Amino acid sequence: MDRVANRSTRKIQVHQSNQDISQSTAQGSAKSSSQGNNVNQKQAPKMSQPVARQNTMPSSANLNATSLKQESVDIDEFTGLKISGCSFTKSIAPPPKFPALTKELIAQICSAESKAELENYMSIAGISSLQELCEMRFYDHYSILTLLVKDGNAKLISLLLQSVEDPQKLAEHPQKLVEHPQKLAEHQDNIGMTLLTIAANLGHAEVITAMLSGIPHPQQLAEKEGIYGITALMLAAGSGDVVVITKILESVDDTEALIFQKDHSGMNSFIYALQSGNTKAALVLFDWTKDKFELMFARNSPNQLSAIQMMKPEIQDIFLKKYNEPNH
């Protein structure tokens, strides 16, 4: 029995000894492998931290709480990475939406009887201010001021011009990003008509007054050229609208400069009136002019007749008589 027991004990010890040797060998191999990796890491060229993380595949034995926490930090660093001050999250965000100037909104605005009613319509449409409203465009080239001028709504035009920061500065709101952004009160439509020339062409005298009295530089607006260099005064002279002519001249400081201003073909407002046969309009311009001799006898271009040469004899008599009056 003792021999059998000793034999069993010896076998168990041998087995344990072999197990210890196997574990020692495995540990030695792991240590040797780890040292080898350390040597290789020292010899390998250095890599940036993000790339090194991407090329290092952790074994399942190393996926402990610490490594999971580090991965979480890495993810946070990646999603929060900023280039030139803009995060990836912001760069792919959809552009902000701006309210549109629709036919329905235009109809509501044109029907507004007060500032409170107008602002109520704007609030429903998502428009934050009257400044923003003035900078919006309908079909890219019609501002709300353009539409109000066409409608002859002098009251709302006055309200809007008084409510914006500067009606003669360039629009700044993102909604105004059209091909050629223009000054609010000096905006031109798609065929080159200014707000003032539109009003003059339609005979909206009160709109003319509202426009010129609601801006800081009425002379600048009155002298603004539309298509072919035509001004509002030229259009009014050509149509013979004495009321519009008077409203324009009453609103500017330098009437002389405006009357003598030429279009692209060298014609001034006085010539426009004469060529259209609008003698009354020509007489109004003549009365407002200080240098009457220059207006009648000067040639605006070498190939153009003077104003007196364009007149029929009976018309010449009328102007010569006025010119020779004692109060001249």
Side-chain angles (χ1 to χ4, degrees):
M1 288 293 292
D2 292 337
R3 291 178 182 177
V4 174
N6 290 336
R7 194 180 299 117
S8 301
T9 303
R10 193 178 300 115
K11 286 182 179 180
I12 293 171
Q13 288 175 348
V14 170
H15 179 71
Q16 288 176 343
S17 177
N18 290 338
Q19 208 172 27
D20 293 338
I21 292 169
S22 176
Q23 288 177 355
S24 176
T25 304
Q27 288 176 358
S29 299
K31 184 175 181 182
S32 175
S33 174
S34 175
Q35 289 176 351
N37 288 340
N38 290 336
V39 171
N40 292 336
Q41 287 175 0
K42 289 180 182 179
Q43 293 175 352
K46 292 184 178 180
M47 303 175 72
S48 62
Q49 189 175 355
V51 176
R53 274 198 290 268
Q54 291 173 8
N55 290 306
T56 302
M57 292 293 293
S59 64
S60 59
N62 293 328
L63 289 177
N64 51 28
T66 304
S67 62
L68 289 174
K69 183 177 180 181
Q70 182 61 42
E71 284 185 7
S72 177
V73 172
D74 294 345
I75 291 170
D76 290 341
E77 287 179 357
F78 178 78
T79 56
L81 185 62
K82 293 184 177 181
I83 298 177
S84 303
C86 296
S87 69
F88 289 142
T89 304
K90 291 182 180 179
S91 65
I92 61 174
K97 294 182 180 180
F98 298 102
L101 197 59
T102 62
K103 291 181 180 180
E104 293 76 12
L105 179 58
I106 292 167
Q108 289 177 334
I109 290 171
C110 292
S111 66
E113 295 292 335
S114 64
K115 184 176 181 179
E117 189 176 353
L118 175 61
E119 289 177 338
N120 181 53
Y121 291 138
M122 289 165 48
S123 176
I124 295 171
I127 302 171
S128 60
S129 66
L130 291 171
Q131 180 81 31
E132 182 181 340
L133 176 64
C134 288
E135 292 174 0
M136 294 171 70
R137 295 289 178 266
F138 181 65
Y139 289 144
D140 287 344
H141 40 248
Y142 292 114
S143 68
I144 189 63
L145 286 172
T146 308
L147 299 168
L148 290 173
V149 167
K150 290 177 178 288
D151 191 51
N153 198 325
K155 181 180 179 180
L156 275 182
I157 289 170
S158 295
L159 173 62
L160 289 177
L161 292 177
Q162 292 168 8
S163 302
V164 297
E165 184 180 344
D166 183 352
Q168 286 180 279
K169 77 170 184 178
L170 283 173
E172 294 177 349
H173 191 271
Q175 178 69 18
K176 61 81 187 163
L177 290 178
V178 291
E179 190 172 351
H180 301 290
Q182 299 170 14
K183 298 177 182 179
L184 300 180
E186 299 183 22
H187 176 70
Q188 290 176 261
D189 65 12
N190 58 322
I191 62 171
M193 295 282 283
T194 68
L195 297 180
L196 218 58
T197 55
I198 292 171
N201 189 52
L202 296 173
H204 294 325
E206 295 306 317
V207 168
I208 295 283
T209 301
M211 289 289 301
L212 293 175
S213 62
I215 57 175
H217 308 293
Q219 184 81 33
Q220 177 179 312
L221 183 59
E223 292 181 2
K224 184 172 179 61
E225 299 177 354
I227 186 171
Y228 306 125
I230 298 172
T231 64
L233 186 63
M234 294 174 190
L235 276 178
S239 64
D241 197 327
V242 174
V243 177
V244 171
I245 291 172
T246 304
K247 293 290 185 183
I248 294 173
L249 295 176
E250 286 176 346
S251 304
V252 299
D253 295 326
D254 193 347
T255 57
E256 202 83 347
L258 193 58
I259 293 171
F260 280 95
Q261 186 174 346
K262 304 171 187 176
D263 68 4
H264 294 170
S265 63
M267 293 172 55
N268 58 34
S269 55
F270 189 61
I271 301 298
Y272 265 86
L274 291 174
Q275 281 197 346
S276 303
N278 295 310
T279 306
K280 288 184 179 179
L283 285 168
V284 172
L285 292 167
F286 187 79
D287 289 338
W288 276 87
T289 306
K290 297 174 183 177
D291 194 345
K292 292 177 170 52
F293 181 86
E294 179 76 9
L295 188 65
M296 286 200 303
F297 295 99
R299 292 188 177 188
N300 293 330
S301 64
N303 299 325
Q304 189 181 94
L305 298 174
S306 63
I308 195 72
Q309 292 174 315
M310 294 180 184
M311 298 176 187
K312 295 178 180 180
E314 60 274 19
I315 304 299
Q316 285 183 358
D317 292 340
I318 295 172
F319 281 93
L320 289 173
K321 182 179 179 180
K322 284 185 71 69
Y323 178 80
N324 292 318
E325 288 177 353
N327 60 355
H328 171 60

